Each structure stands twice: as structure tokens, then as C-alpha cells.
Amino acid sequence: MLRVVVLGAAAGGGVPQWNCGCAVCRKARSENQELQSSQASIAVSADGEHWYLVNASPDLRQQLIATPQLHPRAGQLRHSPIAGVILTNGEIDAVAGLLSMREGSPFTLYAHERVLAILRSNSIFNVLGENNVKRRPIEVDRAFEPALPDGSPSGMEILAFAVPGKGAWYLEGKAHPTGGDSAGDTLGLRILDKESGRYFYFLAACARVTDDLKSRLAGAALVFFDGTVWRDDELIAAGLGTKTGQSMGHISMSGDQGAIASLAGLDIGRKVFFHINNSNPALLHGSEERKALEQAGWQIPADGTEITL
């Protein structure tokens, strides 16, 4: 049985963002504190004892404190149930939390070679010494089974696949450490329980829905999908920025080419929006955007939500 815990569902900056006075952030600080959400990450386990993080958000320390499933085992001075971290991109949202895991507990880090190259090129990540933190490259469209700390199989199969997106924004205009094209910069994951055959999909970033992606997601029991913005020009219209969702590598929820319309009719069991920006009006309960989202069968999870498959 797969167990999934939502550690955080917000995009970069979280909700509320420290320097943001938009309607959502104002409400999250005052009368609607249930809107508060940390930055996007999940934990997944096949046995309920050993857990794998999918992305390590900048909020990871507080997420681990708030999640009993990830606490050290009672009676041990040093212990962590985290057996590994799987990275789907090299954005700050996905990698900064690794620095909160520098206290010597062993785990394995899985990422595409392009993301591993980014970590190697930045010496601050050397605090994760390879004696404790093994780094394993992920190959696109080649399934692998992450190992438990003793080397035994985890019972999960991970299949990474390329999705439309873009490289880390902090590398814009700069040479990537590996050179070449952007293949591997943005990954989706299919995570499968080998015993039951149940699986789900995880896509924290996606710029558009292709026919190939539709065929992958069709019939899935659970999909976590990029919900960064409601409309493509959301940040511009709200006076919060100058970039569109597409320019940041994110599809909108709404619109003819948006996620809701593009993924309709695929017989997906549970559809969960993830990596949601604080500018997104769908975060507000009772808003027209939230009503439209829910009528289409989508959900926005709270931090700490646990889902079993």
C-alpha cells in the first residue's frame, strides 16, 4: 500500500509569502489562517516505515517537525525514517531544503544528471557529504526501485518522464553546467507500489498538456498536478510581477488550454492541484475560481493531508 503525505502544496514563497500583501496572503495572516501552506513537497512510503521525499522545499525543516510520520524513532538519539529524496527539477523550490538535511543522517538523493550537475557546481551542497548522501542519476523513461538504507528493495518503482517546462530561473542567460538542451530539466513521476500494482503521478511543474501526457495520466487513481496560476497573466494582472505562467514553465488551471480543460475526461480518480502560487484566487474558499475547480473534480490539499492507495 502506498501512503502519501502532503508536506506542502504552495509554490515558491508559500502562503503567506513573507513580503506579499496580496488578498490571499492578507487573509492567510489574519481571518483565514487555514489558507496557510508551506512550499511544495510530498513524502511517500510503501511500508509506512521508510519514506522518500519528492522534492525538498525551503520549508522542509518545519514540514518535518509538523509530520509525525517523519519523526525520529522513539528511544534513538539520532534517527530519520527518510530513506531518500527524489528531485523533479533544479528550482530553489525543490532543492533548497536539502541544506536542512546536513546533520549526518544517511539517505540517497535521486535526480536527473542535469540537476545533479547543478548541485555539484554549487559548493554549498557539499555539506551533504557523499559518505552519507549517495547521489544516483535518474534516467528518463527507465524505471528504477529506490533502495532502503540497508540496500534492500523499497517496494516502490519510480518512472521519471520528461514534461514540457523550463530550466531553473536562476540559470536564465547562463550556461548550464552540463551544456546541451533542456531535456531532463522538468520531470514528472509515476510512483508504483510493486506489491499492489497501484500507482499515482506527480507533476509539480508542467507548461502544457501533450497527447503523450494525456495517455500516461488516463485512468490513474491519483494525480498531483501543477496548479501554479489560475490564468496565464495572473501575476501581471494583479500587479505582482511581470512574468506569465508560461514564461515560468507553468500551465494555467483555467482556459481552453489550461489543466482543467486539458485533463478532463481522462477517468482520473483523484485530481489534486499542487505548487499553487499565493496569487492564485482559487485558493480562496467560496471564490468563483474555487467553485469552478471543485465542480471539475479537482482538490487543493492542506499541509499534512495523507492519502493512501
Side-chain angles (χ1 to χ4, degrees):
M1 177 176 70
L2 285 177
R3 298 174 63 187
V4 185
V5 177
V6 176
L7 303 181
V15 180
Q17 182 175 303
W18 68 279
N19 65 342
C20 186
C22 73
V24 172
C25 288
R26 290 198 309 272
K27 289 180 181 294
R29 290 190 186 95
S30 54
E31 71 266 28
N32 296 114
Q33 294 187 17
E34 71 278 3
L35 292 173
Q36 294 183 8
S37 180
S38 58
Q39 295 170 84
S41 178
I42 63 170
V44 59
S45 174
D47 62 10
E49 181 179 354
H50 303 92
W51 293 82
Y52 294 81
L53 306 182
V54 180
N55 294 335
S57 89
D59 296 325
L60 183 59
R61 179 182 174 275
Q62 73 185 62
Q63 291 169 341
L64 298 185
I65 291 171
T67 307
Q69 298 93 324
L70 303 180
H71 289 178
R73 184 178 298 135
Q76 294 194 220
L77 290 176
R78 288 285 191 271
H79 170 262
S80 172
I82 298 172
V85 180
I86 304 162
L87 302 178
T88 64
N89 60 70
E91 292 284 5
I92 291 173
D93 301 4
V95 305
L98 292 172
L99 300 178
S100 295
M101 301 178 73
R102 64 188 183 277
E103 283 81 14
S105 288
F107 65 92
T108 303
L109 180 62
Y110 301 90
H112 192 276
E113 177 55 37
R114 287 179 62 83
V115 175
L116 293 179
I118 292 173
L119 301 183
R120 287 195 300 269
S121 70
N122 189 329
S123 60
I124 195 170
F125 289 101
N126 291 341
V127 298
L128 301 171
E130 292 204 35
N131 288 335
N132 283 320
V133 181
K134 305 300 182 184
R135 302 184 184 188
R136 299 288 183 261
I138 292 174
E139 295 183 42
V140 172
D141 290 323
R142 183 171 181 177
F144 69 96
E145 182 171 4
L148 298 181
D150 64 1
S152 60
S154 63
M156 294 192 304
E157 180 185 270
I158 312 294
L159 177 68
F161 54 94
V163 296
K166 65 186 299 296
W169 68 266
Y170 55 85
L171 290 176
E172 287 183 359
K174 301 177 182 178
H176 192 282
T178 64
D181 60 26
S182 62
D185 282 343
T186 305
L187 298 179
L189 302 177
R190 187 197 68 187
I191 301 178
L192 176 143
D193 176 41
K194 296 187 72 173
E195 182 176 356
S196 68
R198 300 276 285 175
Y199 61 89
F200 71 96
Y201 283 92
F202 178 93
L203 296 94
C206 181
R208 69 183 184 279
V209 175
T210 63
D211 289 340
D212 175 71
L213 184 56
K214 288 182 181 180
S215 67
R216 290 181 187 270
L217 302 187
L222 169 66
V223 172
F224 288 94
F225 197 82
D226 186 350
T228 306
V229 293
W230 177 257
R231 48 184 272 191
D232 190 50
D233 64 347
E234 180 173 295
L235 291 170
I236 298 170
L240 296 171
T242 60
K243 291 187 176 182
T244 64
Q246 282 290 305
S247 70
M248 296 185 292
H250 297 288
I251 192 173
S252 62
M253 290 182 176
S254 68
D256 293 342
Q257 303 300 315
I260 292 175
S262 297
L263 298 178
L266 297 182
D267 194 29
I268 297 169
R270 187 168 182 177
K271 298 180 287 189
V272 180
F273 274 128
F274 200 71
H275 193 269
I276 306 161
N277 201 55
N278 53 67
S279 61
N280 193 326
L283 287 169
L284 296 173
H285 297 281
S287 67
E288 292 304 312
E289 293 85 358
R290 184 60 166 261
K291 291 176 183 176
L293 175 157
E294 292 176 343
Q295 287 171 0
W298 287 85
Q299 305 170 8
I300 293 177
D303 289 15
T305 298
E306 181 168 344
I307 302 171
T308 58
L309 290 174

